[in-house]
Amino acid sequence: MAIPLHSFMNVPCAFAICFLVLLYLRSIISWRARARGSPLPPGPKRLPLVGNLLSIPRFKPWLGFRDLTAQYGEITYLEVLGQSILVLGSPSVIFELLEKRSANSSDRTVSPLIQLAGQGYNFAFMPYGQFWRRHRRAFWQHFHSGVSESYWPIQQAYARDFLVKLLDKPTQLRNLIRYNFSAAAMKVVYDAEIVDEQDDRIEMIDVGFAGLRELTVSVQMLLEFLPVLGNLPDWMPGSGFARTLTRSQAPSDHLVHVEFNTARTNVEQGAKGAFLVSELLARSGQTTQTKEVLEEDELILKNVAAVAVEGGSDTTFSTVEGLFLALSHHPEVQKKAQAELDTVVGPHRLPEFSDRDSLVYINAVVKEALRWHNVLPLGVGHRTVEDDEFHGYFIPAGTTVIGNAWGCAHDPAIYPDPDTFNPDRFIKDGQLDPNVLDPASLVFGWGRRICPGRFFADAALFITVASLLHTFEITPPLDAYGNPIRIELDASHGFLSYPVDSRCTVKPRSPEAAALLRASHVQEIEEVL
Ligand code: HEM
């Protein structure tokens, strides 16, 4: 009797189905054992296969995540194509998971996009482990609060140089803000002399970060799970995005290698300024080190130097751009700041770091600038290493944890009327109010991954804000008929966020203020730059 062909076909088919069912049952049993009866945190209903892919907000995700928090609570769980994601929506749960349990929540999701965007050298995206730790230690040695103070003269000189240039080229505001922070970072790290905003190295730093600016949560998800999209030939639709990312590779490589090697040559010829380079040369003189150790040391120091420049540029740049827009809306904030500066500093000199403790209102302006416009609205995602139980919920190992910094910084329960720029919210009885949550505890991230450049950033912001308000007046831009144009804050929606339009009119507060700036500038340039 003939046996029908389809019966043979059915045997492997049946085996395959049984195998899949067994795998599924095994995964459920193992999941239950791992979860020990704890449920996953609440979240939107998951669809078969794609899970919550459609619930991931595509545009300005920090807004959508804030809405998820309102609907499901401060701990919301999402799953996209098998990847667990936890969205934390209040400072208390963020601090609890990302600070107190930092040993388990300081990993990063390793993404091929980071290499594609030329950021492979950047330890902000490296997984938790020895290699990351060595980078972080090397960075911290040169940027902890004590050492950061030694860079104040450079930061002050560039802040003033920026303002002198602004006197002459008020329409170049954006380029000059970028110049201020990038040139100061290049000086601190490589002892590089950059004297104006047209220097090619300013553009190099800008383009080196451009790839990261393009990354959004939804694009990241898409490319994570369909990595082939990153390798499409140029002529295929959809390849443009990958091309934009890869444009950052050459400038980043230049920063890591060429700028470092130039600084090394200068140090070998007797230059004193470039501390990271000097450190490397000192170490390479130690004959006890093996060739491999020295090579890895060199790579780490090169990476760390480049991160300090890139990290030190765009973040502060975006914050100050937002601040200019806010100030143009609030003449009363400028008046209060100027009254304080006139009392503490007076008209015959410019503000200095030693004035900081007496400049309560200026410190409040810096805090409000960090709160009002967030350059990293969702920080940088963390990742858990092991299974955990949190508030009675099961958090699987490998969960991506997103702290919604923007959501907290704009929560009316923490900061009433959060969209209004109001430095007074931080002041009580003439002093900074310790009962108001410091936005620095939100916007610089958390735990073992907290921003190690925060002291450097805070100093750059303080001296820029104090010097600016002491000498300039900022008003809205004017239309063709001379009428003021009101520009609302619209933050771009990438991984790094920038005001889309921050046009404003800048002019010196008085002829005396302009003269004071120019006079101090000549002396400063000779001493520091
Ligand atoms: C307004 C200015 C700045 C803001 C808002 C900011 C914010 C952040 C945030 C949110 C993170 C991620 C923290 C986390 O994972 O929890 C971070 C990491 C980092 N930042 Fe900053 N940052 C600023 C300025 C700077 C500056 C000036 C530097 C360098 C001098 C810098 C260097 C870094 C580095 C190296 C990391 C990676 C840390 C790691 O993964 O271990 N940042 N920053």
Side-chain angles (χ1 to χ4, degrees), residues 108 123-124 132 136 139 143 307-308 311-312 315-316 319 370 375-376 379-380 382 443-446 449-453 456-457:
R108 296 273 197 238
F123 70 93
W132 162 77
R136 175 123 187 156
F139 186 97
F143 283 96
V307 171
T315 45
T316 32
T319 307
L370 286 168
V375 56
L376 283 159
V380 181
H382 289 222
V443 301
F444 287 117
W446 307 282
R449 288 285 189 163
I450 191 170
C451 173
F456 187 72

PDB file of all heavy atoms in Angstrom, residues 108 123-124 132 136 139 143 307-308 311-312 315-316 319 370 375-376 379-380 382 443-446 449-453 456-457, ligand 1:
ATOM      1  N   ARG A 108      24.555  49.147  30.239  1.00  0.00           N
ATOM      2  CA  ARG A 108      23.938  49.814  29.086  1.00  0.00           C
ATOM      3  C   ARG A 108      23.545  48.760  28.059  1.00  0.00           C
ATOM      4  O   ARG A 108      24.211  47.728  27.945  1.00  0.00           O
ATOM      5  CB  ARG A 108      24.927  50.746  28.390  1.00  0.00           C
ATOM      6  CG  ARG A 108      25.401  51.916  29.211  1.00  0.00           C
ATOM      7  CD  ARG A 108      24.457  53.104  29.095  1.00  0.00           C
ATOM      8  NE  ARG A 108      25.101  54.316  29.540  1.00  0.00           N
ATOM      9  CZ  ARG A 108      24.648  55.091  30.527  1.00  0.00           C
ATOM     10  NH1 ARG A 108      23.541  54.807  31.183  1.00  0.00           N
ATOM     11  NH2 ARG A 108      25.292  56.191  30.864  1.00  0.00           N
ATOM     12  N   PHE A 123      32.649  56.178  26.357  1.00  0.00           N
ATOM     13  CA  PHE A 123      32.325  55.215  27.418  1.00  0.00           C
ATOM     14  C   PHE A 123      30.932  55.423  28.002  1.00  0.00           C
ATOM     15  O   PHE A 123      30.443  54.591  28.766  1.00  0.00           O
ATOM     16  CB  PHE A 123      33.405  55.173  28.504  1.00  0.00           C
ATOM     17  CG  PHE A 123      33.510  56.384  29.386  1.00  0.00           C
ATOM     18  CD1 PHE A 123      32.821  56.448  30.590  1.00  0.00           C
ATOM     19  CD2 PHE A 123      34.329  57.443  29.043  1.00  0.00           C
ATOM     20  CE1 PHE A 123      32.924  57.543  31.425  1.00  0.00           C
ATOM     21  CE2 PHE A 123      34.451  58.554  29.860  1.00  0.00           C
ATOM     22  CZ  PHE A 123      33.745  58.616  31.053  1.00  0.00           C
ATOM     23  N   ALA A 124      30.255  56.514  27.621  1.00  0.00           N
ATOM     24  CA  ALA A 124      28.861  56.699  28.062  1.00  0.00           C
ATOM     25  C   ALA A 124      27.976  55.564  27.538  1.00  0.00           C
ATOM     26  O   ALA A 124      26.920  55.291  28.094  1.00  0.00           O
ATOM     27  CB  ALA A 124      28.329  58.035  27.557  1.00  0.00           C
ATOM     28  N   TRP A 132      34.780  49.766  30.841  1.00  0.00           N
ATOM     29  CA  TRP A 132      34.064  51.019  31.166  1.00  0.00           C
ATOM     30  C   TRP A 132      34.660  51.641  32.431  1.00  0.00           C
ATOM     31  O   TRP A 132      34.923  52.854  32.490  1.00  0.00           O
ATOM     32  CB  TRP A 132      32.564  50.730  31.373  1.00  0.00           C
ATOM     33  CG  TRP A 132      31.882  51.851  32.107  1.00  0.00           C
ATOM     34  CD1 TRP A 132      31.496  53.053  31.601  1.00  0.00           C
ATOM     35  CD2 TRP A 132      31.563  51.884  33.506  1.00  0.00           C
ATOM     36  NE1 TRP A 132      30.936  53.836  32.588  1.00  0.00           N
ATOM     37  CE2 TRP A 132      30.965  53.144  33.771  1.00  0.00           C
ATOM     38  CE3 TRP A 132      31.711  50.977  34.554  1.00  0.00           C
ATOM     39  CZ2 TRP A 132      30.523  53.512  35.038  1.00  0.00           C
ATOM     40  CZ3 TRP A 132      31.259  51.352  35.823  1.00  0.00           C
ATOM     41  CH2 TRP A 132      30.685  52.614  36.053  1.00  0.00           C
ATOM     42  N   ARG A 136      36.081  55.375  33.084  1.00  0.00           N
ATOM     43  CA  ARG A 136      35.406  56.271  34.035  1.00  0.00           C
ATOM     44  C   ARG A 136      36.412  56.778  35.079  1.00  0.00           C
ATOM     45  O   ARG A 136      36.411  57.952  35.430  1.00  0.00           O
ATOM     46  CB  ARG A 136      34.238  55.515  34.682  1.00  0.00           C
ATOM     47  CG  ARG A 136      33.546  56.289  35.765  1.00  0.00           C
ATOM     48  CD  ARG A 136      32.090  56.486  35.543  1.00  0.00           C
ATOM     49  NE  ARG A 136      31.587  57.384  36.555  1.00  0.00           N
ATOM     50  CZ  ARG A 136      30.516  58.122  36.453  1.00  0.00           C
ATOM     51  NH1 ARG A 136      29.795  58.069  35.359  1.00  0.00           N
ATOM     52  NH2 ARG A 136      30.128  58.919  37.405  1.00  0.00           N
ATOM     53  N   PHE A 139      38.689  59.351  33.566  1.00  0.00           N
ATOM     54  CA  PHE A 139      37.960  60.609  33.370  1.00  0.00           C
ATOM     55  C   PHE A 139      37.813  61.348  34.705  1.00  0.00           C
ATOM     56  O   PHE A 139      38.092  62.537  34.824  1.00  0.00           O
ATOM     57  CB  PHE A 139      36.574  60.304  32.777  1.00  0.00           C
ATOM     58  CG  PHE A 139      35.806  61.531  32.399  1.00  0.00           C
ATOM     59  CD1 PHE A 139      35.805  61.989  31.089  1.00  0.00           C
ATOM     60  CD2 PHE A 139      35.076  62.252  33.339  1.00  0.00           C
ATOM     61  CE1 PHE A 139      35.100  63.126  30.728  1.00  0.00           C
ATOM     62  CE2 PHE A 139      34.373  63.382  33.006  1.00  0.00           C
ATOM     63  CZ  PHE A 139      34.378  63.821  31.690  1.00  0.00           C
ATOM     64  N   PHE A 143      38.239  65.237  36.385  1.00  0.00           N
ATOM     65  CA  PHE A 143      37.032  66.083  36.383  1.00  0.00           C
ATOM     66  C   PHE A 143      36.242  66.059  37.696  1.00  0.00           C
ATOM     67  O   PHE A 143      35.119  66.530  37.737  1.00  0.00           O
ATOM     68  CB  PHE A 143      36.109  65.692  35.212  1.00  0.00           C
ATOM     69  CG  PHE A 143      36.616  66.222  33.896  1.00  0.00           C
ATOM     70  CD1 PHE A 143      37.386  65.425  33.069  1.00  0.00           C
ATOM     71  CD2 PHE A 143      36.361  67.524  33.505  1.00  0.00           C
ATOM     72  CE1 PHE A 143      37.893  65.916  31.875  1.00  0.00           C
ATOM     73  CE2 PHE A 143      36.857  68.028  32.305  1.00  0.00           C
ATOM     74  CZ  PHE A 143      37.628  67.219  31.483  1.00  0.00           C
ATOM     75  N   VAL A 307      35.900  62.178  24.729  1.00  0.00           N
ATOM     76  CA  VAL A 307      34.585  62.250  25.401  1.00  0.00           C
ATOM     77  C   VAL A 307      34.454  63.568  26.165  1.00  0.00           C
ATOM     78  O   VAL A 307      33.392  64.190  26.169  1.00  0.00           O
ATOM     79  CB  VAL A 307      34.383  61.058  26.365  1.00  0.00           C
ATOM     80  CG1 VAL A 307      33.148  61.245  27.220  1.00  0.00           C
ATOM     81  CG2 VAL A 307      34.290  59.754  25.592  1.00  0.00           C
ATOM     82  N   ALA A 308      35.559  63.990  26.787  1.00  0.00           N
ATOM     83  CA  ALA A 308      35.489  65.234  27.561  1.00  0.00           C
ATOM     84  C   ALA A 308      35.169  66.410  26.644  1.00  0.00           C
ATOM     85  O   ALA A 308      34.418  67.314  27.020  1.00  0.00           O
ATOM     86  CB  ALA A 308      36.808  65.465  28.295  1.00  0.00           C
ATOM     87  N   GLY A 311      31.414  65.614  25.185  1.00  0.00           N
ATOM     88  CA  GLY A 311      30.436  65.717  26.284  1.00  0.00           C
ATOM     89  C   GLY A 311      30.368  67.139  26.802  1.00  0.00           C
ATOM     90  O   GLY A 311      29.320  67.606  27.240  1.00  0.00           O
ATOM     91  N   GLY A 312      31.526  67.841  26.760  1.00  0.00           N
ATOM     92  CA  GLY A 312      31.567  69.181  27.322  1.00  0.00           C
ATOM     93  C   GLY A 312      30.988  70.231  26.392  1.00  0.00           C
ATOM     94  O   GLY A 312      30.821  71.379  26.784  1.00  0.00           O
ATOM     95  N   THR A 315      26.110  69.503  25.342  1.00  0.00           N
ATOM     96  CA  THR A 315      25.184  69.525  26.473  1.00  0.00           C
ATOM     97  C   THR A 315      25.006  70.945  27.022  1.00  0.00           C
ATOM     98  O   THR A 315      23.883  71.439  27.164  1.00  0.00           O
ATOM     99  CB  THR A 315      25.726  68.612  27.580  1.00  0.00           C
ATOM    100  OG1 THR A 315      27.125  68.896  27.723  1.00  0.00           O
ATOM    101  CG2 THR A 315      25.533  67.153  27.249  1.00  0.00           C
ATOM    102  N   THR A 316      26.147  71.595  27.284  1.00  0.00           N
ATOM    103  CA  THR A 316      26.075  72.958  27.831  1.00  0.00           C
ATOM    104  C   THR A 316      25.570  73.924  26.750  1.00  0.00           C
ATOM    105  O   THR A 316      24.828  74.865  27.040  1.00  0.00           O
ATOM    106  CB  THR A 316      27.463  73.394  28.356  1.00  0.00           C
ATOM    107  OG1 THR A 316      28.463  72.784  27.564  1.00  0.00           O
ATOM    108  CG2 THR A 316      27.675  72.983  29.775  1.00  0.00           C
ATOM    109  N   THR A 319      21.803  73.748  26.627  1.00  0.00           N
ATOM    110  CA  THR A 319      21.211  74.346  27.840  1.00  0.00           C
ATOM    111  C   THR A 319      21.229  75.867  27.734  1.00  0.00           C
ATOM    112  O   THR A 319      20.237  76.549  28.043  1.00  0.00           O
ATOM    113  CB  THR A 319      21.999  73.886  29.094  1.00  0.00           C
ATOM    114  OG1 THR A 319      22.063  72.461  29.083  1.00  0.00           O
ATOM    115  CG2 THR A 319      21.349  74.367  30.376  1.00  0.00           C
ATOM    116  N   LEU A 370      18.692  74.491  33.806  1.00  0.00           N
ATOM    117  CA  LEU A 370      18.825  73.028  33.713  1.00  0.00           C
ATOM    118  C   LEU A 370      17.459  72.340  33.754  1.00  0.00           C
ATOM    119  O   LEU A 370      17.251  71.301  33.133  1.00  0.00           O
ATOM    120  CB  LEU A 370      19.704  72.503  34.853  1.00  0.00           C
ATOM    121  CG  LEU A 370      21.203  72.770  34.729  1.00  0.00           C
ATOM    122  CD1 LEU A 370      21.923  72.462  36.039  1.00  0.00           C
ATOM    123  CD2 LEU A 370      21.815  71.947  33.597  1.00  0.00           C
ATOM    124  N   VAL A 375      18.551  68.897  27.840  1.00  0.00           N
ATOM    125  CA  VAL A 375      19.273  68.435  26.642  1.00  0.00           C
ATOM    126  C   VAL A 375      19.188  66.908  26.503  1.00  0.00           C
ATOM    127  O   VAL A 375      19.176  66.379  25.387  1.00  0.00           O
ATOM    128  CB  VAL A 375      20.739  68.940  26.660  1.00  0.00           C
ATOM    129  CG1 VAL A 375      21.473  68.517  27.902  1.00  0.00           C
ATOM    130  CG2 VAL A 375      21.500  68.465  25.439  1.00  0.00           C
ATOM    131  N   LEU A 376      19.092  66.198  27.621  1.00  0.00           N
ATOM    132  CA  LEU A 376      18.892  64.740  27.569  1.00  0.00           C
ATOM    133  C   LEU A 376      17.598  64.441  28.329  1.00  0.00           C
ATOM    134  O   LEU A 376      17.641  64.070  29.498  1.00  0.00           O
ATOM    135  CB  LEU A 376      20.080  64.024  28.220  1.00  0.00           C
ATOM    136  CG  LEU A 376      21.358  63.953  27.377  1.00  0.00           C
ATOM    137  CD1 LEU A 376      22.583  63.719  28.255  1.00  0.00           C
ATOM    138  CD2 LEU A 376      21.256  62.855  26.325  1.00  0.00           C
ATOM    139  N   GLY A 379      17.600  61.165  29.872  1.00  0.00           N
ATOM    140  CA  GLY A 379      18.932  60.751  30.312  1.00  0.00           C
ATOM    141  C   GLY A 379      19.531  59.796  29.293  1.00  0.00           C
ATOM    142  O   GLY A 379      19.310  59.913  28.083  1.00  0.00           O
ATOM    143  N   VAL A 380      20.309  58.844  29.792  1.00  0.00           N
ATOM    144  CA  VAL A 380      20.800  57.753  28.943  1.00  0.00           C
ATOM    145  C   VAL A 380      20.270  56.480  29.602  1.00  0.00           C
ATOM    146  O   VAL A 380      20.419  56.311  30.814  1.00  0.00           O
ATOM    147  CB  VAL A 380      22.356  57.726  28.900  1.00  0.00           C
ATOM    148  CG1 VAL A 380      22.858  56.612  27.991  1.00  0.00           C
ATOM    149  CG2 VAL A 380      22.902  59.081  28.426  1.00  0.00           C
ATOM    150  N   HIS A 382      19.582  53.039  31.296  1.00  0.00           N
ATOM    151  CA  HIS A 382      20.393  52.067  32.032  1.00  0.00           C
ATOM    152  C   HIS A 382      19.883  50.660  31.681  1.00  0.00           C
ATOM    153  O   HIS A 382      18.869  50.507  30.991  1.00  0.00           O
ATOM    154  CB  HIS A 382      20.244  52.272  33.544  1.00  0.00           C
ATOM    155  CG  HIS A 382      20.914  53.514  34.062  1.00  0.00           C
ATOM    156  ND1 HIS A 382      21.624  53.552  35.224  1.00  0.00           N
ATOM    157  CD2 HIS A 382      20.974  54.783  33.567  1.00  0.00           C
ATOM    158  CE1 HIS A 382      22.098  54.775  35.438  1.00  0.00           C
ATOM    159  NE2 HIS A 382      21.699  55.541  34.447  1.00  0.00           N
ATOM    160  N   VAL A 443      18.757  65.907  35.989  1.00  0.00           N
ATOM    161  CA  VAL A 443      19.232  66.044  34.603  1.00  0.00           C
ATOM    162  C   VAL A 443      20.637  65.477  34.371  1.00  0.00           C
ATOM    163  O   VAL A 443      21.039  65.285  33.226  1.00  0.00           O
ATOM    164  CB  VAL A 443      19.170  67.509  34.106  1.00  0.00           C
ATOM    165  CG1 VAL A 443      17.772  68.039  34.169  1.00  0.00           C
ATOM    166  CG2 VAL A 443      20.129  68.404  34.893  1.00  0.00           C
ATOM    167  N   PHE A 444      21.393  65.224  35.430  1.00  0.00           N
ATOM    168  CA  PHE A 444      22.732  64.664  35.225  1.00  0.00           C
ATOM    169  C   PHE A 444      22.758  63.141  35.383  1.00  0.00           C
ATOM    170  O   PHE A 444      23.830  62.538  35.407  1.00  0.00           O
ATOM    171  CB  PHE A 444      23.740  65.298  36.195  1.00  0.00           C
ATOM    172  CG  PHE A 444      24.097  66.727  35.840  1.00  0.00           C
ATOM    173  CD1 PHE A 444      23.803  67.774  36.702  1.00  0.00           C
ATOM    174  CD2 PHE A 444      24.726  67.021  34.636  1.00  0.00           C
ATOM    175  CE1 PHE A 444      24.130  69.084  36.380  1.00  0.00           C
ATOM    176  CE2 PHE A 444      25.060  68.333  34.299  1.00  0.00           C
ATOM    177  CZ  PHE A 444      24.764  69.361  35.161  1.00  0.00           C
ATOM    178  N   GLY A 445      21.586  62.511  35.487  1.00  0.00           N
ATOM    179  CA  GLY A 445      21.553  61.055  35.563  1.00  0.00           C
ATOM    180  C   GLY A 445      21.813  60.557  36.977  1.00  0.00           C
ATOM    181  O   GLY A 445      21.838  61.346  37.936  1.00  0.00           O
ATOM    182  N   TRP A 446      22.073  59.245  37.094  1.00  0.00           N
ATOM    183  CA  TRP A 446      22.010  58.626  38.410  1.00  0.00           C
ATOM    184  C   TRP A 446      23.035  57.521  38.638  1.00  0.00           C
ATOM    185  O   TRP A 446      23.484  56.867  37.700  1.00  0.00           O
ATOM    186  CB  TRP A 446      20.608  58.039  38.592  1.00  0.00           C
ATOM    187  CG  TRP A 446      19.558  59.066  38.329  1.00  0.00           C
ATOM    188  CD1 TRP A 446      19.155  60.060  39.177  1.00  0.00           C
ATOM    189  CD2 TRP A 446      18.817  59.256  37.107  1.00  0.00           C
ATOM    190  NE1 TRP A 446      18.203  60.848  38.571  1.00  0.00           N
ATOM    191  CE2 TRP A 446      17.969  60.383  37.315  1.00  0.00           C
ATOM    192  CE3 TRP A 446      18.764  58.600  35.880  1.00  0.00           C
ATOM    193  CZ2 TRP A 446      17.096  60.848  36.332  1.00  0.00           C
ATOM    194  CZ3 TRP A 446      17.904  59.070  34.898  1.00  0.00           C
ATOM    195  CH2 TRP A 446      17.071  60.170  35.134  1.00  0.00           C
ATOM    196  N   ARG A 449      26.500  55.723  37.028  1.00  0.00           N
ATOM    197  CA  ARG A 449      26.604  56.324  35.699  1.00  0.00           C
ATOM    198  C   ARG A 449      26.386  57.828  35.716  1.00  0.00           C
ATOM    199  O   ARG A 449      26.369  58.463  34.652  1.00  0.00           O
ATOM    200  CB  ARG A 449      25.567  55.699  34.762  1.00  0.00           C
ATOM    201  CG  ARG A 449      25.883  54.273  34.366  1.00  0.00           C
ATOM    202  CD  ARG A 449      27.012  54.244  33.331  1.00  0.00           C
ATOM    203  NE  ARG A 449      27.175  52.919  32.789  1.00  0.00           N
ATOM    204  CZ  ARG A 449      27.838  52.631  31.666  1.00  0.00           C
ATOM    205  NH1 ARG A 449      28.397  53.584  30.967  1.00  0.00           N
ATOM    206  NH2 ARG A 449      27.964  51.404  31.262  1.00  0.00           N
ATOM    207  N   ILE A 450      26.176  58.395  36.897  1.00  0.00           N
ATOM    208  CA  ILE A 450      25.875  59.829  36.950  1.00  0.00           C
ATOM    209  C   ILE A 450      26.938  60.611  36.158  1.00  0.00           C
ATOM    210  O   ILE A 450      28.104  60.199  36.119  1.00  0.00           O
ATOM    211  CB  ILE A 450      25.809  60.317  38.425  1.00  0.00           C
ATOM    212  CG1 ILE A 450      25.232  61.729  38.497  1.00  0.00           C
ATOM    213  CG2 ILE A 450      27.171  60.234  39.087  1.00  0.00           C
ATOM    214  CD1 ILE A 450      24.913  62.181  39.920  1.00  0.00           C
ATOM    215  N   CYS A 451      26.529  61.708  35.523  1.00  0.00           N
ATOM    216  CA  CYS A 451      27.424  62.468  34.650  1.00  0.00           C
ATOM    217  C   CYS A 451      28.699  62.868  35.406  1.00  0.00           C
ATOM    218  O   CYS A 451      28.633  63.643  36.369  1.00  0.00           O
ATOM    219  CB  CYS A 451      26.713  63.726  34.155  1.00  0.00           C
ATOM    220  SG  CYS A 451      27.822  64.812  33.235  1.00  0.00           S
ATOM    221  N   PRO A 452      29.851  62.374  34.985  1.00  0.00           N
ATOM    222  CA  PRO A 452      31.086  62.730  35.692  1.00  0.00           C
ATOM    223  C   PRO A 452      31.614  64.113  35.274  1.00  0.00           C
ATOM    224  O   PRO A 452      32.593  64.587  35.838  1.00  0.00           O
ATOM    225  CB  PRO A 452      32.062  61.624  35.263  1.00  0.00           C
ATOM    226  CG  PRO A 452      31.581  61.200  33.910  1.00  0.00           C
ATOM    227  CD  PRO A 452      30.096  61.441  33.861  1.00  0.00           C
ATOM    228  N   GLY A 453      30.935  64.748  34.299  1.00  0.00           N
ATOM    229  CA  GLY A 453      31.367  66.080  33.867  1.00  0.00           C
ATOM    230  C   GLY A 453      30.504  67.166  34.502  1.00  0.00           C
ATOM    231  O   GLY A 453      30.573  68.330  34.116  1.00  0.00           O
ATOM    232  N   PHE A 456      32.220  70.335  35.958  1.00  0.00           N
ATOM    233  CA  PHE A 456      32.761  71.156  34.870  1.00  0.00           C
ATOM    234  C   PHE A 456      31.614  71.914  34.182  1.00  0.00           C
ATOM    235  O   PHE A 456      31.701  73.109  33.908  1.00  0.00           O
ATOM    236  CB  PHE A 456      33.478  70.222  33.879  1.00  0.00           C
ATOM    237  CG  PHE A 456      34.235  70.932  32.798  1.00  0.00           C
ATOM    238  CD1 PHE A 456      35.412  71.611  33.084  1.00  0.00           C
ATOM    239  CD2 PHE A 456      33.788  70.908  31.487  1.00  0.00           C
ATOM    240  CE1 PHE A 456      36.125  72.254  32.080  1.00  0.00           C
ATOM    241  CE2 PHE A 456      34.487  71.550  30.476  1.00  0.00           C
ATOM    242  CZ  PHE A 456      35.665  72.233  30.772  1.00  0.00           C
ATOM    243  N   ALA A 457      30.499  71.190  33.939  1.00  0.00           N
ATOM    244  CA  ALA A 457      29.334  71.795  33.274  1.00  0.00           C
ATOM    245  C   ALA A 457      28.744  72.906  34.137  1.00  0.00           C
ATOM    246  O   ALA A 457      28.456  74.011  33.654  1.00  0.00           O
ATOM    247  CB  ALA A 457      28.280  70.723  33.011  1.00  0.00           C
TER     248      ALA A 457
HETATM  249  C1  HEM B   1      24.301  70.607  31.013  1.00  0.00           C
HETATM  250  C2  HEM B   1      25.287  69.779  30.863  1.00  0.00           C
HETATM  251  C3  HEM B   1      25.198  68.277  30.969  1.00  0.00           C
HETATM  252  C4  HEM B   1      24.124  67.459  31.160  1.00  0.00           C
HETATM  253  C5  HEM B   1      22.657  67.863  31.343  1.00  0.00           C
HETATM  254  C6  HEM B   1      24.612  66.097  31.177  1.00  0.00           C
HETATM  255  C7  HEM B   1      23.819  64.984  31.378  1.00  0.00           C
HETATM  256  C8  HEM B   1      24.302  63.680  31.386  1.00  0.00           C
HETATM  257  C9  HEM B   1      23.472  62.522  31.575  1.00  0.00           C
HETATM  258  C10 HEM B   1      21.963  62.531  31.785  1.00  0.00           C
HETATM  259  C11 HEM B   1      24.273  61.434  31.521  1.00  0.00           C
HETATM  260  C12 HEM B   1      23.843  59.979  31.666  1.00  0.00           C
HETATM  261  C13 HEM B   1      23.853  59.586  33.144  1.00  0.00           C
HETATM  262  C14 HEM B   1      23.237  58.236  33.408  1.00  0.00           C
HETATM  263  O1  HEM B   1      23.483  57.304  32.680  1.00  0.00           O
HETATM  264  O2  HEM B   1      22.460  58.127  34.380  1.00  0.00           O
HETATM  265  C15 HEM B   1      25.628  61.892  31.295  1.00  0.00           C
HETATM  266  C16 HEM B   1      26.705  61.072  31.164  1.00  0.00           C
HETATM  267  C17 HEM B   1      27.970  61.520  30.886  1.00  0.00           C
HETATM  268  N1  HEM B   1      28.374  62.844  30.794  1.00  0.00           N
HETATM  269 FE1  HEM B   1      27.225  64.469  31.000  1.00  0.00          FE
HETATM  270  N2  HEM B   1      25.976  66.113  31.004  1.00  0.00           N
HETATM  271  C18 HEM B   1      26.368  67.415  30.866  1.00  0.00           C
HETATM  272  C19 HEM B   1      27.661  67.877  30.677  1.00  0.00           C
HETATM  273  C20 HEM B   1      28.764  67.071  30.561  1.00  0.00           C
HETATM  274  C21 HEM B   1      30.113  67.565  30.401  1.00  0.00           C
HETATM  275  C22 HEM B   1      30.503  69.029  30.393  1.00  0.00           C
HETATM  276  C23 HEM B   1      30.915  66.450  30.288  1.00  0.00           C
HETATM  277  C24 HEM B   1      32.407  66.394  30.107  1.00  0.00           C
HETATM  278  C25 HEM B   1      33.253  67.286  30.537  1.00  0.00           C
HETATM  279  C26 HEM B   1      30.075  65.276  30.384  1.00  0.00           C
HETATM  280  C27 HEM B   1      30.516  63.976  30.325  1.00  0.00           C
HETATM  281  C28 HEM B   1      29.703  62.860  30.494  1.00  0.00           C
HETATM  282  C29 HEM B   1      30.205  61.484  30.427  1.00  0.00           C
HETATM  283  C30 HEM B   1      31.643  61.063  30.149  1.00  0.00           C
HETATM  284  C31 HEM B   1      29.104  60.639  30.667  1.00  0.00           C
HETATM  285  C32 HEM B   1      29.088  59.111  30.671  1.00  0.00           C
HETATM  286  C33 HEM B   1      29.132  58.541  32.089  1.00  0.00           C
HETATM  287  C34 HEM B   1      29.089  57.004  32.131  1.00  0.00           C
HETATM  288  O3  HEM B   1      28.387  56.390  31.352  1.00  0.00           O
HETATM  289  O4  HEM B   1      29.752  56.465  33.008  1.00  0.00           O
HETATM  290  N3  HEM B   1      28.775  65.696  30.562  1.00  0.00           N
HETATM  291  N4  HEM B   1      25.626  63.274  31.226  1.00  0.00           N
END
